[in-house]
Amino acid sequence: MDPEEFRRAGYAVVDWITDYWATLGQRPVTTQDPPGTVVAALPDAPPPEGEPVAAVLADLDRLVLPHLTHWQHPSFFGYFPANTSGPSVLGDLVSAGLGVQGMLWSTSPAATELETVLLDWLADLLGLPERFRSTGTGGGVIQDSASSATLVATLAALHRASRGRWRSTGLDRRYRAYTSTEGHSSIEKAARIAGLGSDGVRTVEVNPRTRALDPAALRAAIRADLAAGEVPAIVVATIGTTSTTAVDPLPEIGAICAEYGVWLHVDAAYAGSAAICPELRWTHAGLEYADSYCFDPHKWLLTGFDCDAFWVADAGELVEALTVLPEYLRNTASETGAVIDYRDWQVPLGRRFRALKLWFVLRWYGAEGLRAHVRSGVALAGGFADRVRADDRFEVVAPHPFALVCFRLVAGDEASAELLARVNGTGRVLLTHTRVAGRYTLRLAVGSPQTRPEHVDEAWHLLARTATEVLADLPAPA
Ligand SMILES: *Cc1c(COP(=O)(O)O)cnc(C)c1O
């Protein structure tokens, strides 16, 4: 592809994305295809001769778009949002065009230094404790995902708890990780990868009303393990659990971790973004106890996947846990100790220039623009919850401090599941579900960049109308 061909094709691709975003709201949010639909439509082999980009764009329209779940759709209310935005896409495009590797400071100095500064900016925006700044012992880094952040935190915690054995000879005793019964699945996955096994994870009871971790139960679990000769290594607390956005009580949890010398990692994957709004920053109270913290700008801060912001209070410990130095990576800058080599802060060696999309986003929106996005989601979700509460066929099942509302039909699990299947079956909205204390629960998460009040209104009217049909069709309870 010569430069002029690239320029033309590049403009065509940007036009294609622009048109996609402009017409997105008219598409079904998701598809009802059986598995294998796309496989059956694709040729068996790649083309023997090259083809123009226009041919690929035509196939995107024909073969890909009709068979996607459209996460940027204004009526996408499933899971948590996975935001993207114009500036994020453009920043990513620049990163792709530069194609640099930022594994060491010396392999691309600006890639490292921009990332360090942006993570300090973000720490300021979220009001994170001073010790996470790069100006002290700590610092931030971009991981691909919150799952990776939890894994890296687990490895550093094991390094600390085993006094270096995890790194040298491997674990000599049974080490334990703790989270609530509502903790994310990535915590168990990290424990398996780190060698603790699923049984190494203690799941601690939650308060039945708030769904937040019960500190007394955490203390009891740690004491029982200590009495049995096991080593408590890490507690993962959550700000905004995946199921219902419960906020674990960090001040109490932090005090327990400090008392027993256990690493505290705080997973705020979704809800961390809310802390850019001062009125929502109460959710981070107690964070000064944390050894590490992460949130996903790729969920709610208008930055495309993948972008997880991860901070540690003591970067030296993390680097010590993960560094391996073969001859071919030796360089004078690293040897001076004056530079950050982010390869030692993550699992892979190589790393792309993810800071660019974050830089484009922070500069385009500014702090106020990002706050406006978060506030609009919180307000729309609050309005939706009011309507659910005002209809006595429904109930709201958990507090909703952010932009997720959990609710169900009072008639029970069967009716609630049928309601979800029917509204999603229309293709006009996408909601997902969870179980809260064993009961089937619908989740409506606001946060897609194009979502406006009318989309949330429409979702409510569709739910209310469909509930009437579902309740009429279901056999009356005996
Ligand atoms: C979404 C989520 C994760 C996983 O996020 P990834 O970045 O996709 O790994 C982890 N923890 C919580 C609380 C989440 O909501």
Side-chain angles (χ1 to χ4, degrees):
M1 186 175 270
D2 70 30
E4 283 314 312
E5 287 169 331
F6 176 75
R7 193 187 303 281
R8 268 196 307 279
Y11 288 148
V13 169
V14 170
D15 283 341
W16 185 89
I17 295 172
T18 308
D19 293 342
Y20 170 67
W21 284 342
T23 55
L24 187 51
Q26 296 149 31
R27 295 178 178 275
V29 188
T30 189
T31 122
Q32 312 292 330
D33 297 328
T37 305
V38 177
V39 170
L42 287 168
D44 294 332
E49 309 289 340
E51 294 180 63
V53 169
V56 184
L57 291 180
D59 278 355
L60 280 176
D61 286 327
R62 198 169 59 87
L63 299 178
V64 175
L65 287 193
H67 310 291
L68 281 182
T69 299
H70 298 283
W71 283 66
Q72 310 307 316
H73 194 290
S75 300
F76 180 97
F77 300 111
Y79 308 98
F80 281 133
N83 281 180
T84 192
S85 65
S88 174
V89 169
L90 296 176
D92 238 353
L93 187 59
V94 174
S95 171
L98 295 177
V100 300
Q101 271 289 348
M103 54 201 178
L104 300 168
W105 176 87
S106 62
T107 60
S108 229
T112 295
E113 294 191 16
L114 179 62
E115 184 162 332
T116 306
V117 169
L118 291 188
L119 275 277
D120 283 343
W121 283 8
L122 271 185
D124 279 341
L125 282 179
L126 268 62
L128 300 185
E130 201 51 45
R131 62 201 198 121
F132 288 140
R133 315 284 153 104
S134 69
T135 42
T137 54
V141 61
I142 301 177
Q143 304 278 348
D144 56 0
S145 63
S147 304
S148 291
T150 298
L151 174 59
V152 164
T154 303
L155 301 178
L158 287 172
H159 178 62
R160 183 203 276 179
S162 69
R163 298 198 170 77
R165 275 178 196 272
W166 169 78
R167 175 185 138 147
S168 53
T169 57
L171 294 177
D172 52 332
R173 297 170 59 192
R174 286 190 297 182
Y175 292 79
R176 298 295 182 206
Y178 305 80
T179 190
S180 86
T181 51
E182 305 282 318
H184 192 261
S185 57
S186 55
I187 300 162
E188 181 175 339
K189 198 189 253 186
R192 280 194 210 158
I193 297 169
L196 305 185
S198 292
D199 292 349
V201 182
R202 302 291 195 217
T203 49
V204 177
E205 280 310 307
V206 293
N207 173 310
R209 192 186 61 81
T210 63
R211 316 305 299 167
L213 183 144
D214 172 5
L218 173 65
R219 179 186 294 278
I222 289 176
R223 291 174 70 120
D225 284 340
L226 284 170
E230 290 158 14
V231 188
I234 182 169
V235 172
V236 182
T238 312
I239 297 176
T241 57
T242 313
S243 199
T244 67
T245 63
V247 177
D248 288 344
L250 290 186
E252 287 89 344
I253 296 170
I256 294 169
C257 290
E259 182 180 338
Y260 293 98
V262 183
W263 185 289
L264 175 59
H265 174 62
V266 175
D267 174 4
Y270 160 71
S273 295
I276 63 166
C277 301
E279 73 275 18
L280 291 167
R281 206 168 286 160
W282 59 268
T283 54
H284 283 57
L287 194 58
E288 59 280 3
Y289 285 107
D291 294 284
S292 54
Y293 167 86
C294 79
F295 87 103
D296 284 344
H298 71 227
K299 277 186 172 162
W300 199 11
L301 217 54
L302 297 165
T303 310
F305 191 84
D306 50 355
C307 185
D308 170 86
F310 173 68
W311 286 267
V312 280
D314 181 351
E317 242 173 349
L318 173 65
V319 169
E320 198 177 281
L322 296 186
T323 195
V324 181
L325 187 60
E327 184 57 32
Y328 46 81
L329 294 178
R330 284 186 190 278
N331 67 89
T332 30
S334 297
E335 263 144 44
T336 63
V339 300
I340 293 176
D341 291 327
Y342 277 130
R343 69 179 187 113
D344 295 330
W345 296 51
Q346 62 174 22
V347 173
L349 170 63
R351 59 200 324 272
R352 61 199 198 84
F353 201 169
R354 290 195 196 92
L356 282 173
K357 61 185 166 191
L358 195 54
W359 199 35
F360 271 61
V361 165
L362 292 174
R363 295 187 62 175
W364 177 265
Y365 291 101
E368 284 307 326
L370 296 173
R371 287 183 189 120
H373 174 61
V374 167
R375 284 180 180 139
S376 112
V378 173
L380 290 176
F384 177 82
D386 289 342
R387 305 183 95 159
V388 174
R389 271 193 212 95
D391 185 329
D392 50 6
R393 300 170 302 168
F394 286 91
E395 58 185 341
V396 173
V397 305
H400 51 91
F402 307 106
L404 170 74
V405 182
C406 293
F407 62 101
R408 63 187 164 216
L409 282 170
V410 178
D413 287 358
E414 198 190 340
S416 297
E418 181 62 21
L419 173 62
L420 181 68
R422 289 198 196 177
V423 295
N424 284 346
T426 66
R428 291 175 41 213
V429 292
L430 180 74
L431 280 70
T432 52
H433 83 281
T434 185
R435 281 190 184 268
V436 178
R439 293 182 59 188
Y440 195 96
T441 299
L442 283 75
R443 296 168 78 264
L444 178 131
V446 184
S448 186
Q450 292 194 22
T451 303
R452 301 282 171 266
E454 58 268 27
H455 301 110
V456 180
D457 281 352
E458 263 171 45
W460 167 250
H461 290 306
L462 179 63
L463 282 158
R465 241 189 357 260
T466 312
T468 305
E469 293 162 18
V470 167
L471 294 172
D473 292 351
L474 280 188

